[in-house]
């Protein structure tokens, strides 16, 4: 099965020579050599400023024989974190990049579990910047069906009868969040022509089902064992200060939370932050975690995401320039939680 996945991955990233259909033998041999060492924990991170604190940490030790393997614009770094074999890879921004990178990781390497970490916006008024959150469920909240103007919530959606789209998750009505473009007609507000968008579940094709037999998933669970282990992170010491003069109002903490949300949108809007919180009860808002989770869910690989809060997603704060000022501190706290979590895993 793994041989098939490796060949498929080569086809996916274009490393097959089209003329003679030969796979690059040297790179395939290198990957095989890496896999012969044993299984690895995959560590997936969105950006360089989030990854660098881990690579610069004394906890990460690069492999002397195979420090990295470069594939399709990604660098898969081989090494250990606290003696646990790991492969660290940066995805780049967005759901598509995160999904592609995670699929390559699982297809090419002998991975027994995936840990994802980074920073995120915060939609939870009970938590603060610098806190590290570990959700039990993740959803992709950027898959929409945009309803035409004039139709209401009781009208059937296009292709809903085929099972392609659904009203079961709910919608966002733009006029409810419109304060500037509404106009009056005889003491009544005119509806926003954007009407409403209906949130949709992802189509997934688990590896243990008949091919092309789709299932739907909106709330994707993290691994139950990983989530239980994460409780041991509560109470760990995290960084509070950027320097001697700039500190957060209180010492950050690790908190297991119920839900997180991802989409190809950097949320810096207070109204949408409030909507996500009240509608879906989410805490971290980011652009990658749900994609990583969906790939692991389909491939039946254990997964968990650790996201440190760098800003209030447009919710307003006494701290100015939240993300610009506190992203480095949040990234460092995410790394600290990740390293601690790795020490809890069996070798």
């Amino acid at each position: 099965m793994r041989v098939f996945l490796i060949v498929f991955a080569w086809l996916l990233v274009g490393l097959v020579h089209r003329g003679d259909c030969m796979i690059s033998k040297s790179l395939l041999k290198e990957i095989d050599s890496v896999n012969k060492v044993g299984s690895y924990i995959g560590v997936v991170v969105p950006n360089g400023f989030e990854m660098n604190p881990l690579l610069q940490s004394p906890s990460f030790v690069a492999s002397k024989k195979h420090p990295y393997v470069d594939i399709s614009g990604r660098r898969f770094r081989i090494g250990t974190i606290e003696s646990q074999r790991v492969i660290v890879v940066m995805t780049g921004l967005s759901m598509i990049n995160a999904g592609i990178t995670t699929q390559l990781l699982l297809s090419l390497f002998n991975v027994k579990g995936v840990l994802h970490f980074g920073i995120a916006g915060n939609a939870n008024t009970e938590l603060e910047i610098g806190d590290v959150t570990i959700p039990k469920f993740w959803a992709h909240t950027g898959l929409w069906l945009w309803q035409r103007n004039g139709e209401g919530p009781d009208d059937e959606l296009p292709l809903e009868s085929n099972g392609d789209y659904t009203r079961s998750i709910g919608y966002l009505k733009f006029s409810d969040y419109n304060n500037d473009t509404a106009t009056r007609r005889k003491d009544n507000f005119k509806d926003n022509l954007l009407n409403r968008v209906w949130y949709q579940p992802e189509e997934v094709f688990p590896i243990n089902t008949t091919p092309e037999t789709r299932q739907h998933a909106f709330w994707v669970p993290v691994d139950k064992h990983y989530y239980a282990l994460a409780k041991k992170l509560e109470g760990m010491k995290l960084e509070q200060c950027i320097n001697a003069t700039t500190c957060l109002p209180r010492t950050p903490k690790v908190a297991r939370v119920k839900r997180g949300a991802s989409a190809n949108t950097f949320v810096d809007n207070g109204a949408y932050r409030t909507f996500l919180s009240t509608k879906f009860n989410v805490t971290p808002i980011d652009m990658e975690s749900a994609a990583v989770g969906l790939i692991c869910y389909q491939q039946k690989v254990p997964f968990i995401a650790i996201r440190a809060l760098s800003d209030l997603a447009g919710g307003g704060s006494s701290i100015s320039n939240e993300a610009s000022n506190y992203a480095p501190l949040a990234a460092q706290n995410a790394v600290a939680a990740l390293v601690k979590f790795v020490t809890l895993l069996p070798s």
Side-chain angles (χ1 to χ4, degrees):
M1 182 64 177
R2 180 161 293 278
V3 172
F4 169 78
L5 289 173
I6 289 175
V7 172
F8 172 77
W10 286 119
L11 290 168
L12 177 67
V13 301
L15 292 178
V16 174
H17 301 296
R18 293 180 183 270
D20 54 8
C21 295
M22 292 294 290
I23 296 172
S24 170
K25 292 182 179 179
S26 60
L27 198 50
L28 186 57
K29 183 178 180 180
E30 189 174 2
I31 291 173
D32 187 56
S33 179
V34 170
N35 287 330
K36 283 182 178 179
V37 174
S39 59
Y40 296 82
I41 292 294
V43 179
V44 179
V45 56
N47 293 304
F49 78 89
E50 294 161 305
M51 178 176 64
N52 288 336
L54 174 62
L55 300 183
Q56 296 164 4
S57 166
S59 296
F60 176 76
V61 179
S63 169
K64 292 182 180 179
K65 185 176 181 180
H66 296 290
Y68 60 84
V69 179
D70 290 341
I71 305 168
S72 190
R74 275 81 176 175
R75 174 159 288 184
F76 295 83
R77 294 169 170 83
I78 319 299
T80 60
I81 296 177
E82 299 294 331
S83 301
Q84 179 79 245
R85 285 191 301 270
V86 297
I87 299 177
V88 181
V89 60
M90 187 183 78
T91 68
L93 197 68
S94 84
M95 298 282 285
I96 291 177
N97 277 326
I100 290 173
T101 305
T102 305
Q103 185 63 66
L104 286 171
L105 173 70
L106 299 184
S107 295
L108 294 171
F109 297 99
N110 185 8
V111 174
K112 60 183 178 181
V114 171
L115 312 182
H116 178 58
F117 78 96
I119 66 171
N122 176 27
N124 187 336
T125 57
E126 296 181 1
L127 296 177
E128 298 184 13
I129 290 172
D131 290 345
V132 173
T133 62
I134 304 174
K136 189 175 184 179
F137 297 93
W138 284 92
H140 175 200
T141 52
L143 184 57
W144 297 348
L145 185 148
W146 208 313
Q147 195 172 26
R148 71 175 61 186
N149 186 44
E151 292 189 346
D154 295 327
D155 291 311
E156 184 176 286
L157 303 176
L159 303 179
E160 183 180 1
S161 60
N162 295 338
D164 291 335
Y165 299 103
T166 178
R167 289 173 292 172
S168 63
I169 298 170
Y171 61 83
L172 165 64
K173 186 177 181 182
F174 284 97
S175 59
D176 289 342
Y177 291 87
N178 186 339
N179 296 318
D180 297 323
T181 61
T183 57
R184 284 189 176 274
R185 285 185 178 179
K186 296 180 181 180
D187 298 325
N188 292 320
F189 279 106
K190 180 182 178 182
D191 277 344
N192 189 325
L193 296 180
L194 294 175
N195 199 5
R196 57 178 58 80
V197 292
W198 292 84
Y199 289 85
Q200 300 298 316
E202 286 277 4
E203 286 187 354
V204 295
F205 300 87
I207 59 173
N208 60 349
T209 61
T210 303
E212 299 182 352
T213 302
R214 68 176 179 177
Q215 299 178 13
H216 288 102
F218 188 73
W219 293 113
V220 177
V222 304
D223 181 74
K224 292 180 180 179
H225 176 61
Y226 283 1
Y227 190 71
L229 279 180
K231 183 171 179 59
K232 295 183 179 181
L233 301 184
E234 296 174 353
M236 70 175 290
K237 184 178 180 180
L238 297 172
E239 293 293 331
Q240 182 178 0
C241 299
I242 297 176
N243 51 46
T245 59
T246 305
C247 294
L248 294 166
R250 67 158 172 77
T251 302
K253 63 182 181 180
V254 177
R256 296 191 307 168
V257 296
K258 188 171 184 179
R259 293 170 172 172
S262 306
N264 283 330
T265 306
F266 186 98
V267 178
D268 194 33
N269 181 277
Y272 193 57
R273 171 193 192 247
T274 299
F275 172 80
L276 288 175
S277 176
T278 56
K279 177 69 175 179
F280 296 121
N281 189 27
V282 302
T283 296
I285 306 169
D286 67 33
M287 301 175 70
E288 295 87 18
S289 294
V292 180
L294 280 161
I295 297 297
C296 292
Y297 180 72
Q298 293 186 114
Q299 298 296 318
K300 304 298 181 184
V301 174
F303 155 82
I304 199 167
I306 297 170
R307 286 281 185 161
L309 306 176
S310 61
D311 60 274
L312 299 181
S317 172
S318 59
I319 305 170
S320 62
N321 298 318
E322 302 156 354
S324 298
N325 287 339
Y326 286 94
L329 177 63
Q332 186 61 58
N333 283 346
V335 169
L338 172 82
V339 171
K340 178 65 175 178
F341 185 83
V342 169
T343 65
L344 302 175
L345 297 174
S347 299

